[in-house]
Structure formats: structure tokens, C-alpha cells
Amino acid sequence: MVYSLAGMASTIFLDLDTNRGGVQAVTKDAERLRTWFGHNGAQWVEDVSPNGGRHLYLPLAEAIPFTEARDFVEALERRFTTIDPSPHRSVASGCCRVPGSTHRTGGVQKLTQVVGEAILAVSERNAPVVWARLWADTTELRTSRNQLEPYVPEEIDSDQLVGLSSQVLRIAREGIYDQARYRSPSEARMAVIAGAVRQGMTVTDVQQKMLTGAWPALAGLYSKYAPGTRSSVLAREWRKAHEFIARSLRRGSGRSTQRNVHRSDTSKNKSQGVHAAPAHKDFLEAWSKARSALEQRLRGSKDKLGLRMMLRALEEASAKTGTREISFGVRAYALATGAHPSTAAAQLQLLTATPGAPIRKISDGRGRDADTYELTLPEVSNVLPGRRRRVHAVRPAFRELGLPAAFVYEELENAQTPLRVAELVQATGLGRSTIHQALETLASWGLARWKSLGWVVGSACLKVCAEVLGVIEAVIRQQALYKKQRARWHAWLESRQHPGLIPEVIEEYPYWLFEPDEEPEDRAQL
């Protein structure tokens, strides 16, 4: 990774790409860069890829903010045209293939210098005085957008009024913003602060996201200030954002435009069902065992993981709505399972056609109403009520980490004692190698850890992982797309029926993106 979780760069990565002029152009630029580095007393590491591309690494003794690193690399691109600045543009996802790494075309990145020289360069690193000379030498090539005084806009734009929009989240996570709209990093930073205020967050919430690495770019935007003064700067900007938002709302209609929860008009379920009736809890305990029995039959193939996840989505929806009848559009199921809407529809059809499946379709969708499914219990069964395990549909982080990791994590959550690999194989029905890969993935994100007797849940937060992975922003974009698609569908219906005959149904969803024991206001924060 190019940047740390605090949005800082300790090494400059210069990627010389053959797609920008060919191997000869890359070789020429590399030679010019080496001459320039040597003239300024800098140390560097260089490698070459099998296709002729090159990487030059500039280790720094003192880390610099991502804005400074990005401006520097983008400035060098104007002088050395084969440089691809994209690794330095995103704080959350910027990365570079290092010496010894396997190349996608085959072969590996090979050092062009003696190993001892490379070790010396990364050990001693370049002192601040060397970096200052290189930075000064690029002054004419760049336009510095850094300013020490925090910028406060005279008007709050629409992105900030609706809270944490996808554009604002992208600034917080990746540091990418429209430079025609935000003239400096300070302006972009204020957009995030105002959006967080409008979302109902607190200063502590924002500080936590910066400290945990959920918003690394925002942390980098405050790095220009001394560590002891960053909290006071944030508090000052927080107060100013409150003042300007309140002023903007007073100048407007006087009505709040914030929407804490994404809403949909595809389902008829109205209750969040956080506190289910005792009778429904007893039913769910029995249905959960029937679902588990069906899953036993579906094991043995990765192709069946989607069906198993759909069953969990249905169970979680029933637990939260407090009813056996589930009526959601396929787009809601797609959000719940991470599948395409057409795949979700096919999975529901396959489940209802499976003999002995504890689900049946009781009505077809019509107009704005979606298909309705009922959770049922087998007529002849040894299924008895018992302690119900907590199950989940695809929580956002597992859209990236994968379904096997979701199943393994669920088992670790429900286990009373540490679990070994053999026990996880038995519990999940996944292969041994798949379990090992899932545990490696979970452990790398702090979601699982090994104790002396087996594996247990790690201390990392799933929501933070999802934010770092960029999944929350992807879900927001997916919801926005589905909202537009539903609006077009409803407009088509209205054009063919008398106005007023189609009831306006606005419901909250998706239930599956949040923990079942969270309160609605906590879910709104996400």
C-alpha cells in the first residue's frame, strides 16, 4: 500500500508504464530520474518488470501527507511522461508491486541494482533536507493547493446537506475530489466535516474513523497541523460547519433534507421488528433448524453458497419484520445477498421448487407490490424449538472478503469455545483448503485470531473493514441505482393507470445491512 491508515506516505512510488510510450521511453525517463535523484543527493530503489516497465522508489525518513505526495508525483508526470500517477491518487486503494512480486504477465519484478544498495537505501532513507530539495525543484510544475488556514465555504453545497454522500465519502476515504469544485484540500476537508455534521455524527465519531483507518484521507488532510493542535482545529471546523448548516437550512424551506435511512417502495413490510413477539421467536427457532437441515443438503458445492445465503437473508428479514410473510423486490434481495437481481430471483424460484424447503410463494407481485413468500415448517419433522443461532445475510464487508469468510466468521461468532479447522469444516460444510483461505483472510483484517485451543473472533470491527474496503460507498451507489430504476417503473405504471389508484408505499430497507440488535438511529449512522 502506498499510504498508511493515517493518510501518510513514507515512500514515493514512481511507476513508469510502457503503455505511455513504450520500453524505450520508459528507459529514457528512468535514466533522467536517476540523474536527477543523484544530483539532489537522493537514494532510491529501482526494479524492472518482465514487460519493460520500471518502478523507482524514493524512501523518506519522515512521512509526508498524501496531498504533498500526490502533488509531487503529478508534477513529475509533466516532466517524465511515462510516469503513471494513479498509485498515489487514492489513499484507500493506492498500491504498487514491489521487487520480487509476481507480475501479471508472468515472471517477477527484478532489482536493477545490488541488493546491498537497495537495503541501504530503505534503511537510511532520504532526510527531510533531501526531500525539500526535490520538492522545491518541482515548484514550477505544480500548483500547491495546501493552505494552513481552514477553509469554510460561504454556502453549504447539496452534497453536504444530504449528509455523507458517495462524493463526500470518497474524499474521506480516498482523498479524491473535483478540483474545480474544491479549490484546496482544506475545502475538501470541510465538505467531509459538514457532511458528518449533517449526518448526525459527533466529533468523537469522526476522530474514531480517522484513528481506525476508516477515513485515512481525512486523517491525512489534518496531518499538516501539529499533533497537539489537530483536535482543536477539528473542533473549530466542526462548530463552523454547524453554524453554516443551520444558516443554510434557515434560508431554505425550514425543513430538513436529511434522510438517515435509505428508503424504498418495493415492500409492504413496515415494522423494523427489532422486538419480535414471543410466538414468532418460537417459530423462528424451529424454522432456523429446518433451514439448517436444508443447508445440510445444499453443502458440497460452492455454487450452493448463494442459496444458503438467501436462506439466511430470509431468516434475518423475518426476525426483523416480525412476520412469516416476506415481501421484498428482487433488488432488495440483491442488496441482502450481494448477488445480481436476476440471480436473486432465480435463487428464490429454485428454493420454492426444492422438495422439503421451508419456504413457499403465496402471491405474485402486482403493480408496486413484490412477490410474497412465506416461511413454513415441514409437516413431518423432528425439528424442535431450541436455542436459535444468530445468522446474517451478506454483511457489507463480506462482499469483498467472500462468502466462505462470511460463513466461517458466523461460526466463530456463535461458538462458545475456540474452533479448530476440522470443527469449522464440519460446521460450515466447506472444504479444508477453503477454510484455511477464509481464516487467512479474516486474520489479515483482524476479524479472527488464533488462540492456544483454536480460532476465535478478532477485535476488528466489520463496519470499519467495510469502509476501508470501499464497500459502503458501493452499496450506496447500488441503492441509488435501484432507486432510479424503481422510479422509472413506477412512472410507467402511473402512465397506464388512473392517478391515485396505485398506493404510495415508502418503506425502509435493506434490513440485512445492519446488525439485528442495533437501534434504528445507530443503523442510520452507517
Side-chain angles (χ1 to χ4, degrees):
M1 302 301 294
V2 173
Y3 297 109
S4 69
L5 294 180
M8 305 290 284
S10 58
T11 299
I12 298 295
F13 294 82
L14 299 179
D15 180 9
L16 279 61
D17 197 334
T18 55
N19 292 332
R20 292 176 165 243
V23 176
Q24 290 185 347
V26 166
T27 303
K28 181 179 179 181
D29 276 354
E31 177 61 32
R32 293 169 59 206
L33 279 166
R34 288 193 293 268
T35 301
W36 183 55
F37 285 162
H39 177 73
N40 286 282
Q43 298 187 80
W44 70 92
V45 177
E46 181 180 351
D47 65 21
V48 61
S49 64
N51 67 354
R54 291 177 182 265
H55 293 156
L56 275 77
Y57 310 88
L58 192 67
L60 304 176
E62 293 185 4
I64 59 175
F66 79 91
T67 50
E68 192 172 331
R70 183 172 61 191
D71 285 352
F72 178 76
V73 175
E74 288 182 344
L76 288 184
E77 181 193 14
R78 300 185 183 99
R79 181 182 292 171
F80 308 97
T81 56
T82 62
I83 289 180
D84 178 8
S86 58
H88 273 278
R89 281 183 170 151
S90 173
V91 178
S93 60
C95 59
C96 190
R97 187 183 301 106
V98 296
S101 301
T102 302
H103 196 271
R104 62 178 180 274
T105 62
V108 296
Q109 296 288 135
K110 295 183 178 180
L111 280 173
T112 61
Q113 48 198 154
V114 178
V115 174
E117 293 179 355
I119 292 177
L120 184 65
V122 297
S123 299
E124 293 186 351
R125 313 186 77 80
N126 291 287
V129 63
V130 175
W131 170 249
R133 286 198 292 266
L134 296 173
W135 177 257
D137 205 14
T138 61
T139 301
E140 296 181 359
L141 299 175
R142 58 183 161 76
T143 302
S144 177
R145 298 180 179 90
N146 296 321
Q147 55 186 58
L148 291 177
E149 292 302 319
Y151 171 84
V152 180
E154 296 183 0
E155 299 291 338
I156 301 296
D157 62 31
S158 57
D159 278 347
Q160 298 166 45
L161 283 176
V162 299
L164 294 174
S165 66
S166 59
Q167 291 86 353
V168 172
L169 281 173
R170 196 179 190 198
I171 298 172
R173 289 189 60 257
E174 303 182 55
I176 297 176
Y177 53 87
D178 183 357
Q179 295 180 355
R181 183 175 189 174
Y182 304 109
R183 294 166 296 174
S184 70
S186 297
E187 296 184 34
R189 186 177 71 230
M190 276 303 300
V192 178
I193 298 304
V197 170
R198 195 68 187 92
Q199 188 69 21
M201 298 175 66
T202 66
V203 174
T204 303
D205 294 332
V206 174
Q207 289 175 327
Q208 183 182 28
K209 288 185 179 297
M210 289 193 290
L211 290 173
T212 59
W215 287 358
L218 184 63
L221 288 171
Y222 280 101
S223 62
K224 67 178 67 176
Y225 301 101
T229 64
R230 291 171 191 170
S231 295
S232 60
V233 173
L234 173 59
R236 182 169 67 249
E237 293 181 342
W238 193 267
R239 290 193 300 271
K240 292 183 177 180
H242 264 290
E243 295 171 0
F244 277 96
I245 288 175
R247 193 178 309 158
S248 297
L249 292 177
R250 285 196 299 269
R251 285 197 296 265
S253 61
R255 295 181 300 173
S256 173
T257 59
Q258 181 184 13
R259 301 183 69 176
N260 281 337
V261 181
H262 293 276
R263 304 177 75 88
S264 163
D265 46 9
T266 54
S267 86
K268 296 182 291 186
N269 301 310
K270 294 188 177 182
S271 171
Q272 288 284 356
V274 176
H275 304 290
H280 188 64
K281 287 184 177 181
D282 292 340
F283 167 79
L284 277 180
E285 289 172 355
W287 193 88
S288 182
K289 291 190 175 292
R291 185 262 310 156
S292 181
L294 177 59
E295 283 195 28
Q296 294 286 341
R297 295 158 51 191
L298 296 175
R299 291 182 177 185
S301 171
K302 287 187 176 181
D303 296 337
K304 305 297 184 182
L305 293 182
L307 289 175
R308 294 171 59 183
M309 195 55 72
M310 177 61 76
L311 287 169
R312 282 163 159 70
L314 292 166
E315 181 175 339
E316 189 170 348
S318 179
K320 292 180 176 180
T321 58
T323 178
R324 303 182 188 187
E325 297 181 0
I326 309 299
S327 181
F328 288 103
V330 292
R331 290 175 178 82
Y333 292 115
L335 282 164
T337 61
H340 189 273
S342 61
T343 302
Q347 289 171 344
L348 288 167
Q349 291 178 7
L350 184 57
L351 286 174
T352 54
T354 301
I359 176 178
R360 65 189 179 99
K361 186 177 181 180
I362 60 176
S363 69
D364 293 326
R366 182 177 179 83
R368 296 192 179 193
D369 293 338
D371 294 340
T372 301
Y373 296 88
E374 181 184 18
L375 306 189
T376 62
L377 293 176
E379 294 182 2
V380 179
S381 174
N382 59 357
V383 174
L384 297 175
R387 180 179 177 272
R388 174 176 170 263
R389 291 162 45 90
R390 176 181 294 183
V391 298
H392 300 275
V394 178
R395 287 172 282 188
F398 294 114
R399 286 180 170 224
E400 284 291 328
L401 302 182
L403 293 186
F407 285 110
V408 172
Y409 187 82
E410 182 183 292
E411 291 298 329
L412 296 178
E413 278 184 312
N414 283 286
Q416 303 296 314
T417 58
L419 297 177
R420 293 185 176 272
V421 172
E423 294 171 311
L424 288 169
V425 170
Q426 177 68 24
T428 63
L430 301 174
R432 193 175 187 88
S433 61
T434 302
I435 294 291
H436 278 294
Q437 292 175 3
L439 287 171
E440 182 179 350
T441 298
L442 292 171
S444 67
W445 287 93
L447 296 171
R449 61 187 180 92
W450 171 261
K451 296 183 68 175
S452 58
L453 298 178
W455 288 90
V456 297
V457 172
S459 59
C461 175
L462 274 176
K463 291 179 182 177
V464 172
C465 290
E467 289 179 328
V468 173
L469 288 165
V471 185
I472 300 300
E473 184 178 350
V475 171
I476 291 175
R477 289 197 301 267
Q478 188 177 2
Q479 288 178 304
L481 173 63
Y482 290 168
K483 182 178 179 180
K484 292 179 181 178
Q485 292 173 345
R486 286 191 302 272
R488 289 196 294 267
W489 165 242
H490 295 163
W492 186 89
L493 288 174
E494 289 285 0
S495 68
R496 284 155 178 78
Q497 297 191 37
H498 189 278
L501 292 182
I502 302 178
E504 179 71 18
V505 183
I506 301 178
E507 306 300 341
E508 296 181 357
Y509 92 99
Y511 299 109
W512 302 279
L513 294 184
F514 311 102
E515 297 287 349
D517 56 352
E518 288 180 328
E519 293 300 327
E521 55 267 25
D522 292 330
R523 288 194 297 272
Q525 295 288 337
L526 187 59

